[in-house]
Amino acid sequence: MSLPPAYLEYDKRGYGQDIGRYDWRLAKDRAPVRLKNARQVAAMIVIPCEYHPIDPHKTPFGHPHGMVTPFPDLRHFTARDYGNRVGVLRLLDALKSAGLKATFPVSAALLTRARPLAEAIVGDGHELAAAGLHGDAIHHAGLSESEERAMIEDVREAFDAAGFHPTTWLSPARQESFATPDLLAEAGFTALLDWESDGVPLPLRTRGRPITALPLLNELDDFKLLVERKQTEDLWTDQILEAKDYLKTEHDRHGAQVLGFTLTPFVAGQPFRMRSLVNMLAEFAGDEAVWCARADEIVKAF
Amino acid sequence: MISDPNLYDYNPYRDRPKIEWPGGKKLAFWIAPNIEFYEFDPPRNPKRPGWPRPAPDVTGYSQRDYGNRVGHWRLMELMDRYGLKGSVSLNVAMCDHCPEIIESCNERGWEFFSHGIYNTRYSYEMSEDQERAVIEDSIRTVEAATGQRIRGYLAPALTDTTRTLDLIAEHGFWYTCDLFQDDQPQRVKTKTGRLCSMPYSLEVNDVITYGQLAMDPWRYGDVLKRQFDQLLEEGETSGTVMCIPLHAYLVAQPHRLRPFEEALKHITAHDEVWFATAKDIAGHWREHYWDTTQDDLEKKGLATGGTAFEAFER
């Protein structure tokens, strides 16, 4: 038994991360950010509106929110579609009542299929972001650079054609290739929701202009907590509120930090979850230490 | 029984020779922050991919980075407040990548033990020479960075070979954290040395409680208190060990740290507890109970002899 000698060669074993995208920097050593509006926590609510095709290729893997049973999986197709036609409008109403702004990454495929959704998002003053072509158009290292570039161009063209010009991007299933940030920056995107590496916005180096990674917390993802972990709606919202209160306790020493979490329309927009959600949003709205903002605003403020 | 690896003798948890921890304490408590580096694009091991998703697994990688740059400091400062020293389960390449973390732990008198080079380089399929190279690299790297001679081993991502335990015993290690068979240290049957299995409590490891068992932060805090209360009560009969294995990318998330603090508050409020490092616990046990345990097993007719995996192809 033996592995090839290269298994014990460590080319990148040196100071800092083993990637060139950003430098190693400790949270405790960075200059604390004091927001101009004097708020202590920047809450970034992300509402991913993805279109999941009923006949996915599942390459290199199936989107966790995508189809589950053999074709035609009407059950999951329609349950996801519920999110984009019913759930998301409940979320929009709840945000409006609380007076809060959010970021909505939307699949390009929804721009024509669900045009009123994009209009409602923009009409309420939220940020319309790009979530790739659709839930089965996953970016991965098995694509050639020209294939991936073409996908991103298709997304850009679809948004342009619809009259929208998003600057924030969330990858389908938060999966990337090694070149994704380069290609996104070339296509004019300035903020990226795939990387959780720091508690504050983190500029990523690319071949061209930088793109800023904003921390969207994986561990507070609503699909993960409510569907995969089968937690109750109150337990879910209590954890988000706990994170908010905890980050406030760190403000004196470490400055303002970002609290990014998802409200996925087909998950968070269920009727039985609305009471907890509305209560949670009211706590965010009523907390003078918290600034609920769009990703594009947060990038500029830090 | 052909498939029995003969790692240790069967030793029922009743009527064992009484363990007393220094100062007459009943429970030896240690805390094991895992300080890990997962490579962005690891080489492929034929038995297991480096990440659950195809590389680059941006969410997995960046969450672990968050653990090192943000979470570690939260956890370390919390432990400072309760006077707890960590015994660090270390991917030793962290000494090269993020030396600030290693220095901050070393200054506090924390112990380091090896958890392999990277958590993305598994032991499966390694030759004996390759595995020796990893162990020797671990000893050398930690000694150069901290002056400490490591005495413990937790195989990277819990990937052992049939040789691992013999090799670490041969290299003068005192304990392994890879065996989960007991709440007290036990003898491991290696060809040389005095290797003990150190309780590492996988069931209260945050990877298990937050990942597999899907606990919420308050439930995890409660589990830790219950684990402690029970082991402390049993420590009246014979000294027990409680370990909390942790990962800053999980436990030090902003929604989880305060409930964890409640558990530490509960645990540190007891004075029948020996707050120790794994090395201290292993050292004390090897010195005072290694022979006693064997004598007891022999007296009870439970000692079977031999060494681990000898019936298996090496």
Side-chain angles (χ1 to χ4, degrees), chain A residues 22 59 65 67 77 83 93 124 134 151 168 180 184 219 226 241 244-245 251 261 265:
Chain A
Y22 54 82
T59 304
H65 300 183
M67 299 304 108
F77 183 82
D93 286 346
D124 282 0
H134 52 72
M151 285 164 70
T168 299
T180 305
L184 290 173
E219 296 291 313
L226 293 164
L241 292 169
K244 166 181 82 70
D245 291 338
H251 180 264
F261 58 91

Side-chain angles (χ1 to χ4, degrees), chain A residues 33 54 63-64 66 95 128 152 161 181 191 211 213 218 249 269:
Chain A
V33 173
I54 196 167
H63 192 306
L95 289 169
L128 185 68
I152 294 171
I211 187 168
N218 227 6
T249 69

Side-chain angles (χ1 to χ4, degrees), chain A residues 248-299:
Chain A
K248 281 158 61 178
T249 69
E250 287 195 335
H251 180 264
D252 280 354
R253 287 177 58 215
H254 298 305
Q257 296 178 80
V258 179
L259 171 58
F261 58 91
T262 51
L263 303 179
T264 307
F266 72 85
V267 180
Q270 295 293 333
F272 69 94
R273 296 193 170 115
M274 290 311 290
R275 187 185 295 268
S276 297
L277 178 69
V278 164
N279 290 342
M280 178 183 83
L281 293 179
E283 291 218 27
F284 272 85
D287 190 331
E288 291 187 352
V290 178
W291 178 45
C292 269
R294 305 156 37 134
D296 56 349
E297 297 171 317
I298 290 174
V299 168

Side-chain angles (χ1 to χ4, degrees), chain B:
Chain B
M1 216 193 304
I2 289 165
S3 289
D4 186 338
N6 194 33
L7 286 161
Y8 40 76
D9 285 325
Y10 177 70
N11 186 11
Y13 192 48
R14 178 184 286 178
D15 301 327
R16 290 180 178 177
K18 180 169 181 164
I19 293 174
E20 262 191 46
W21 299 122
K25 307 285 184 179
K26 296 172 188 162
L27 181 152
F29 178 87
W30 70 290
I31 193 159
N34 281 264
I35 298 185
E36 297 175 333
F37 199 101
Y38 289 72
E39 296 161 284
F40 194 52
D41 190 18
R44 175 132 190 118
N45 183 294
K47 292 249 172 132
R48 182 172 152 187
W51 289 98
R53 286 184 176 190
D57 187 337
V58 168
T59 38
Y61 179 89
S62 63
Q63 187 178 331
R64 282 160 182 81
D65 194 12
Y66 176 93
N68 285 332
R69 67 177 64 208
V70 183
H72 167 73
W73 307 89
R74 281 190 186 136
L75 178 61
M76 189 174 62
E77 289 179 7
L78 177 65
M79 287 169 60
D80 285 348
R81 282 207 289 285
Y82 291 89
L84 294 168
K85 286 182 186 176
S87 305
V88 176
S89 163
L90 181 70
N91 288 153
V92 301
M94 280 291 289
C95 296
D96 303 299
H97 287 287
C98 313
E100 300 90 341
I101 291 182
I102 308 308
E103 283 156 21
S104 69
C105 298
N106 202 34
E107 277 165 16
R108 288 164 166 78
W110 288 20
E111 183 206 338
F112 296 91
F113 62 92
S114 174
H115 189 23
I117 312 293
Y118 288 108
N119 237 33
T120 37
R121 305 268 178 146
Y122 310 128
S123 312
Y124 308 122
E125 307 269 325
M126 277 191 186
S127 67
E128 183 168 333
D129 283 348
Q130 288 178 320
E131 209 172 355
R132 278 178 193 279
V134 170
I135 292 165
E136 284 160 17
D137 185 331
S138 295
I139 297 169
R140 194 171 58 237
T141 302
V142 177
E143 197 149 13
T146 68
Q148 291 189 33
R149 164 59 223 247
I150 54 172
R151 294 295 176 192
Y153 201 75
L154 175 69
L158 310 189
T159 65
D160 284 272
T161 70
T162 52
R163 302 182 195 96
T164 307
L165 301 169
D166 278 332
L167 287 177
I168 61 174
E170 181 193 317
H171 282 83
F173 283 71
W174 295 355
Y175 67 94
T176 169
C177 296
D178 284 333
L179 311 177
F180 306 106
Q181 86 283 20
D182 219 283
D183 285 324
Q184 294 177 324
Q186 295 288 302
R187 291 169 65 113
V188 183
K189 295 188 179 187
T190 52
K191 291 197 180 104
T192 58
R194 285 188 166 196
L195 187 73
C196 75
S197 63
M198 177 59 58
Y200 179 71
S201 309
L202 204 57
E203 300 296 319
V204 300
N205 183 325
D206 57 352
V207 166
I208 305 301
T209 60
Y210 284 130
Q212 288 184 19
L213 299 177
M215 289 183 188
D216 64 79
W218 300 280
R219 169 82 180 126
Y220 183 45
D222 188 44
V223 161
L224 294 176
K225 290 181 207 168
R226 289 167 188 261
Q227 177 94 344
F228 174 81
D229 290 347
Q230 181 67 29
L231 287 171
L232 183 60
E233 195 180 306
E234 292 176 9
E236 191 85 46
T237 311
S238 174
T240 51
V241 177
M242 175 169 171
C243 171
I244 310 181
L246 295 169
H247 301 72
Y249 72 86
L250 292 171
V251 76
Q253 293 269 338
H255 59 298
R256 290 180 177 147
L257 208 64
R258 294 199 302 191
F260 178 68
E261 177 168 8
E262 289 303 310
L264 290 190
K265 205 180 279 181
H266 174 81
I267 290 165
T268 53
H270 290 76
D271 62 8
E272 312 103 301
V273 181
W274 181 32
F275 295 98
T277 62
K279 184 175 155 185
D280 293 338
I281 299 168
H284 184 84
W285 189 85
R286 287 165 91 249
E287 195 177 328
H288 296 94
Y289 300 105
W290 178 268
D291 294 327
T292 323
T293 304
Q294 186 63 17
D295 293 348
D296 180 59
L297 287 168
E298 278 167 15
K299 201 176 69 196
K300 289 172 176 162
L302 292 167
T304 58
T307 61
F309 291 111
E310 55 190 352
F312 290 72
E313 193 186 295
R314 308 294 289 205

